Amino acid sequence: MLLKNFMVNQKNNLKNIKQHFLHLAFEQAKKNLGKTKNNPSVGCVLVKNNTIISSACTSKNGRPHAEFNALKSYKNFKDSVLYVTLEPCSHFGKTPPCTDLIIKKGIKKIYYAFKDVDIRTANKLKKTLKKKTSILKR
């Protein structure tokens, strides 16, 4: 019984941590709400050892994306966790795919709040990241 309670508490604790960092990503997204033209205002938070190491939102006029802005520094992102409000793009458009940068930087896990409805990206993230052995969580 004690072990079962411990496991339930651990699960709830992880859920609360994910919710906390996703909430902070939404706070980032609010910064440029209504200023990103046709692109949604997205927020992104990068965490390593339960400490925020970078955060950003979509730039004014919609580019660069939040993920790019958060990952553009030369910090060591290897094995960090990315929390983002929208499924990262995996297609070439006016900018390269955010998934390419996520893979290059060695992100261990991704938690995102909403799937992208853009048909160029929708439901392609999991397939793209699984090919590169990255882990995806939703």
Side-chain angles (χ1 to χ4, degrees), residues 86-136:
L86 183 68
E87 177 180 6
C89 71
S90 56
H91 68 280
F92 281 90
K94 293 183 180 179
T95 60
C98 291
T99 53
D100 287 359
L101 186 58
I102 290 166
I103 291 165
K104 182 180 175 183
K105 293 286 188 166
I107 304 301
K108 180 171 75 172
K109 292 182 184 177
I110 299 173
Y111 293 98
Y112 63 95
F114 295 103
K115 289 183 180 183
D116 196 335
V117 295
D118 185 330
I119 59 171
R120 298 171 297 173
T121 294
N123 298 315
K124 294 179 183 165
L125 178 66
K126 189 172 185 177
K127 184 178 178 182
T128 302
L129 293 179
K130 289 294 183 187
K131 285 182 185 176
K132 308 295 183 195
T133 67
S134 297
I135 298 169
L136 169 70

